């Protein structure tokens, strides 16, 4: 791939030691040499229900052989340095192989959620122009292979569509080429390792390209050799789809950094999750706060052996402070995570926010003059700025947009220069779109989102994207969407709709239209409010605050009626 970071940035982070110019596939190969017989990866126990194959457990040397076979297959399909491999697979060993084999072939990988359909994939293929698309044949009753072949006809760059069965066969039977090491040596740590996707105020998804060096920086957070939280060989349970910062940055990459055992899980099932925590003797995992609440309130909790679990991270929504206190009481260190696909990440744990209850709300604020015990935070520069004036804020109580610069942050969006220009300031800080309140000189608290996005079950949804689809409905004259709180998922999507004169529209009709438009299910509205007009300010911008206030009153009335019944 084209080197995205400037020579000045590369020289700075290499000279300071944050980047070590070691690729992720070279780290994996070192792991294979160090611990060939150690269990490397474990399939979800329900794998057969997902893809029709029995679950497996592979050692590092067994996994490495499959990676070499799969990489040879990719090379023979025309994949080479600076090409892209697109992948849409659930969390199984075959997805891990896809990452490693792509890097073994000196190429770049882009992965997409299983929920994505033609609407989302067209944007991905138009930007990345992949040579190979690896996908499930069917998943949860949907024919992914049929969709893939339809899209292949539209995008000439896709020379090969590879179904799950063919990919599995390639990784287990394909002849290993004798020039693999020569090919892998062409990969540079400043090449793009993967492109992950995020939604913002724009209707099109944004392509976040992270280099091998970007990812190498995370060793300072996770590897105990650099003051990190994980030990050599730790068992990591990853229940998040390995397609974005959560699944990759808190699962896949830490596993590589510490020669760990990666336990896979998909789709999320609380009973299977708890069973894996105990049976696999997990040391580190993450979940959304509602799951942690369910586990801690379960009557069988006292009988569960969680003695191996050292860190339990929570993210995607604000965790209740009592869950942190209860985890700590049980000998588990609670961690609070805020992060984005652009490579930003703040982590609250015992070394950054010692007070357990405060940790559920506050995050470390790495900025000038502050030294941290964990080296990771000494490399990051984070400033709080007034979103209107751009003035930097420093006083406790002040609220502003968090802007971040550091070794883990992308250089810019991939092949999207206008989006890059809007997202970065003149000093190279990425403007996150999230508002934080200054608590004191070392900590900040998440306050609200500046961006017009909805966060549902770990996925970020662009309001503009959903609105653009709704406005194409023949019965709809105008539409706006906002999120509303949900205990389990964080938020759900509510659509405010103005029907065309003489027309009426139902939520079922809207869902059917979203389905026909090939939009991922998690983006579909789950609540509909019919209005005479969408409130706008004098320049035509939708006043989302008024819609949220209206929605709040509707929910309050519903709760009142329910209580009186």
């Amino acid at each position: 791939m084209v080197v995205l970071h400037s020579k000045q940035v590369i020289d700075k982070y290499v000279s300071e030691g944050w980047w070590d110019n070691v690729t992720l596939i070279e780290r994996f190969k070192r792991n294979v040499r160090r611990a060939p017989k150690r269990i490397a990866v474990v399939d979800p126990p329900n794998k057969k229900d997902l893809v029709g194959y029995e679950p497996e457990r592979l050692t590092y040397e067994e996994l490495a052989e499959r990676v070499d076979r799969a990489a040879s297959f990719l090379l023979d399909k025309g994949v080479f340095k600076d090409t892209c491999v697109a992948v849409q697979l659930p969390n199984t060993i075959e997805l891990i192989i896809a990452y490693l084999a792509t890097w073994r072939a000196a190429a770049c990988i882009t992965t997409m959620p299983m929920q994505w359909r033609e609407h989302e994939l067209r944007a991905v293929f138009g930007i990345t122009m992949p040579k190979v698309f690896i996908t499930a044949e069917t998943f949860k009753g949907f024919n992914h292979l049929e969709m893939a072949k339809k899209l292949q006809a539209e995008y000439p760059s896709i020379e090969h569509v590879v179904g799950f069965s063919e990919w599995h066969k390639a990784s287990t039977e394909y002849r290993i080429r004798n020039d693999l090491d020569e090919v892998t040596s062409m990969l540079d740590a400043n090449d793009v390792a993967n492109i992950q996707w995020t939604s913002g105020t724009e209707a099109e998804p944004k392509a976040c390209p992270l280099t091998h060096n970007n990812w190498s920086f995370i060793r300072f957070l996770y590897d105990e050799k650099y003051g990190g939280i994980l030990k050599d060989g730790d068992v990591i349970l990853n229940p998040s789809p390995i397609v974005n910062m959560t699944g990759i940055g808190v699962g896949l990459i830490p596993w590589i950094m510490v020669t760990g055992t990666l336990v896979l899980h998909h789709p999320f099932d609380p009973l299977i999750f708890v069973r894996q925590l105990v049976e696999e003797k997990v040391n580190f995992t993450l979940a959304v706060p509602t799951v942690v609440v369910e586990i801690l309130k379960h009557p069988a909790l006292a009988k569960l052996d969680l003695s191996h679990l050292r860190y339990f991270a929570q993210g995607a929504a604000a965790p209740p402070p009592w869950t942190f206190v209860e985890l700590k009481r049980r000998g588990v260190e609670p961690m609070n995570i805020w992060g984005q696909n652009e490579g930003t990440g703040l982590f609250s744990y015992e070394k950054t926010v010692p007070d357990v209850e405060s940790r559920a709300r506050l995050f470390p604020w790495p900025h000038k003059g502050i030294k941290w015990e964990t080296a990771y935070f000494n490399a990051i520069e984070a400033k709080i700025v007034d979103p209107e004036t751009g003035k930097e804020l420093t006083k406790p109580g002040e609220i502003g947009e968090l802007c971040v610069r550091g070794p883990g942050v992308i250089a810019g969006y991939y092949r999207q220069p206008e989006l890059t220009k809007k997202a970065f300031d003149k000093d190279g800080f990425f403007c996150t779109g999230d508002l934080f309140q200054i608590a004191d000189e070392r900590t900040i608290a998440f306050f609200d989102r500046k961006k017009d996005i909805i966060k549902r079950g770990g996925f970020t949804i662009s309001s503009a994207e959903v609105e653009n689809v709704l406005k194409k409905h023949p019965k709809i004259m105008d539409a706006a969407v906002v999120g509303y709180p949900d205990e389990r998922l964080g938020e759900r999507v509510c659509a405010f709709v103005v029907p065309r004169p003489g027309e009426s529209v139902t939520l079922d009709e809207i869902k059917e239209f979203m389905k026909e438009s090939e939009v991922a299910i998690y983006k579909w509205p789950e609540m509909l409010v019919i209005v005479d007009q969408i409130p706008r300010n004098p320049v035509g911008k939708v006043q989302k605050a008024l819609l949220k206030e209206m929605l709040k009153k509707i929910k309050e009335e519903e709760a009142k009626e329910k209580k009186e019944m």
Side-chain angles (χ1 to χ4, degrees):
M1 280 268 168
V2 176
V3 174
L4 300 180
H5 289 283
S6 68
K7 184 178 185 303
Q8 181 184 5
V9 168
I10 293 170
D11 289 346
K12 169 182 167 64
Y13 290 138
V14 170
S15 66
E16 291 175 356
W18 305 119
W19 290 355
D20 61 2
N21 287 329
V22 180
T23 65
L24 292 169
I25 191 62
E26 179 53 38
R27 291 185 195 281
F28 173 73
K29 289 169 66 181
R30 290 178 182 179
N31 294 347
V32 176
R33 292 192 293 269
R34 285 186 61 244
K37 303 297 182 184
R38 181 180 292 169
I39 295 295
V41 64
V42 179
D43 262 326
N46 56 328
K47 180 178 182 176
K48 190 166 185 179
D49 295 333
L50 300 178
V51 290
Y53 285 77
E54 294 292 339
E56 297 182 276
R57 307 170 72 86
L58 298 184
T59 64
Y60 270 94
E61 62 181 3
E62 289 169 338
L63 178 59
E65 181 185 321
R66 292 201 188 183
V67 168
D68 285 357
R69 293 185 187 280
S72 300
F73 172 83
L74 290 177
L75 289 168
D76 287 349
K77 292 293 185 185
V79 171
F80 50 85
K81 183 173 166 59
D82 293 347
T83 58
C84 181
V85 176
V87 179
Q88 191 177 32
L89 294 175
N91 283 1
T92 63
I93 285 174
E94 287 70 24
L95 176 57
I96 307 306
I97 291 171
Y99 275 100
L100 297 170
T102 299
W103 298 330
R104 189 81 162 103
C108 162
I109 188 170
T110 186
T111 50
M112 292 81 67
M114 293 305 299
Q115 294 94 327
W116 280 20
R117 299 293 183 258
E118 291 178 35
H119 172 79
E120 293 85 10
L121 295 183
R122 284 191 176 95
V124 170
F125 295 158
I127 293 169
T128 61
M129 295 181 287
K131 179 154 284 207
V132 171
F133 180 29
I134 303 169
T135 185
E137 270 107 8
T138 60
F139 187 79
K140 291 189 173 181
F142 182 80
N143 194 321
H144 283 266
L145 201 56
E146 184 181 289
M147 176 180 67
K149 289 180 177 177
K150 179 182 175 183
L151 288 168
Q152 184 184 19
E154 297 179 33
Y155 294 90
S157 74
I158 304 176
E159 296 180 8
H160 303 281
V161 168
V162 179
F164 187 94
S165 297
E166 185 181 3
W167 182 240
H168 180 270
K169 186 176 181 181
S171 69
T172 53
E173 299 179 18
Y174 206 79
R175 175 188 56 83
I176 298 174
R177 292 171 53 136
N178 57 17
D179 62 347
L180 268 183
D181 287 343
E182 181 183 345
V183 172
T184 307
S185 69
M186 298 171 65
L187 190 66
D188 187 271
N190 293 307
D191 289 333
V192 177
N194 72 301
I195 296 172
Q196 49 203 37
W197 302 88
T198 194
S199 296
T201 52
E202 293 77 18
E204 66 175 312
K206 293 182 284 190
C208 303
L210 285 133
T211 69
H212 293 264
N213 263 335
N214 279 143
W215 286 121
S216 75
F217 171 58
I218 288 188
R219 71 190 187 278
F220 290 99
L221 178 72
Y222 288 114
D223 190 342
E224 69 172 349
K225 293 197 300 287
Y226 302 97
I229 64 172
L230 300 182
K231 300 176 181 178
D232 177 58
D234 266 353
V235 179
I236 299 167
L237 172 56
N238 182 74
S240 299
I242 306 178
V243 298
N244 56 25
M245 186 54 76
T246 306
I248 302 171
V250 193
L252 181 69
I253 303 301
W255 164 69
I256 293 174
M257 293 298 169
V258 299
T259 320
T261 295
L262 184 61
V263 180
L264 300 172
H265 182 102
H266 196 123
F268 190 80
D269 183 306
L271 293 178
I272 294 177
F273 179 75
V274 171
R275 196 178 103 200
Q276 287 177 301
L277 275 179
V278 176
E279 293 179 359
E280 301 293 345
K281 299 179 179 178
V282 170
N283 306 119
F284 174 70
T285 192
L286 72 152
V288 295
T290 50
V291 169
V292 182
V293 170
E294 284 183 36
I295 291 172
L296 292 176
K297 286 188 173 182
H298 199 282
L301 178 64
K303 300 176 184 176
L304 298 179
D305 179 11
L306 300 179
S307 59
H308 294 89
L309 186 60
R310 293 202 317 278
Y311 284 93
F312 201 146
Q314 298 185 52
W322 72 264
T323 63
F324 275 43
V325 174
E326 186 62 18
L327 284 170
K328 183 75 172 179
R329 190 180 72 80
R330 294 178 179 275
V332 180
E333 201 63 59
M335 175 184 274
N336 193 7
I337 298 178
W338 170 91
Q340 298 169 303
N341 285 316
E342 286 84 355
T344 59
L346 298 177
F347 303 82
S348 293
Y349 62 112
E350 77 275 19
K351 289 184 178 180
T352 56
V353 183
D355 182 73
V356 178
E357 287 195 60
S358 299
R359 200 181 304 168
R361 185 178 66 88
L362 299 178
F363 292 94
W365 180 21
H367 60 116
K368 292 176 184 176
I370 301 295
K371 289 297 179 186
W372 301 88
E373 183 182 348
T374 303
Y376 172 90
F377 296 98
N378 293 324
I380 299 170
E381 301 169 80
K383 61 182 180 180
I384 307 291
V385 301
D386 186 307
E388 299 297 326
T389 65
K391 177 188 173 186
E392 193 166 344
L393 306 176
T394 58
K395 297 176 183 176
E398 290 185 316
I399 298 167
E401 182 177 8
L402 178 67
C403 301
V404 181
R405 182 171 65 184
V409 180
I410 62 171
Y413 296 113
Y414 187 64
R415 293 177 177 164
Q416 296 170 308
E418 289 305 311
L419 294 182
T420 299
K421 189 176 177 182
K422 289 185 344 189
F424 288 81
D425 71 12
K426 61 182 177 61
D427 297 315
F429 280 81
F430 170 68
C431 303
T432 67
D434 280 357
L435 302 178
F436 279 76
Q437 183 172 35
I438 299 171
D440 54 47
E441 67 171 0
R442 296 181 70 88
T443 58
I444 52 178
F446 177 79
F447 183 79
D448 201 355
R449 284 192 291 278
K450 177 187 169 190
K451 296 176 183 175
D452 189 12
I453 58 175
I454 299 163
K455 290 195 172 182
R456 182 192 188 279
F459 288 105
T460 302
I461 302 168
S462 163
S463 297
E465 180 187 4
V466 179
E467 288 163 357
N468 285 351
V469 176
L470 289 174
K471 288 172 186 176
K472 293 176 184 176
H473 194 291
K475 291 184 176 182
I476 294 176
M477 185 167 66
D478 198 4
V481 303
V482 296
Y484 63 94
D486 180 79
E487 283 188 6
R488 188 170 67 86
L489 296 170
E491 287 183 297
R492 293 181 186 266
V493 180
C494 174
F496 285 82
V497 165
V498 180
R500 292 188 180 277
E503 296 282 6
S504 61
V505 65
T506 67
L507 184 59
D508 286 341
E509 285 178 299
I510 285 175
K511 289 181 177 179
E512 184 60 32
F513 185 74
M514 300 294 280
K515 182 179 180 181
E516 290 170 2
S517 302
E518 298 290 349
V519 176
I521 293 175
Y522 67 86
K523 298 178 184 177
W524 297 5
E526 295 173 83
M527 182 176 175
L528 173 65
V529 179
I530 302 294
V531 292
D532 294 331
Q533 64 178 19
I534 302 295
R536 284 182 162 83
N537 64 16
V539 295
K541 187 175 180 181
V542 176
Q543 294 178 299
K544 293 290 178 84
L546 291 180
L547 293 179
K548 288 182 178 180
E549 189 60 35
M550 190 187 307
L551 186 55
K552 182 181 177 183
K553 289 178 180 177
I554 292 171
K555 286 291 182 184
E556 287 173 350
E557 283 297 318
E558 286 180 355
K560 185 179 177 182
E561 289 175 10
K562 192 175 180 181
K563 192 175 181 181
E564 291 173 352
M565 287 175 67

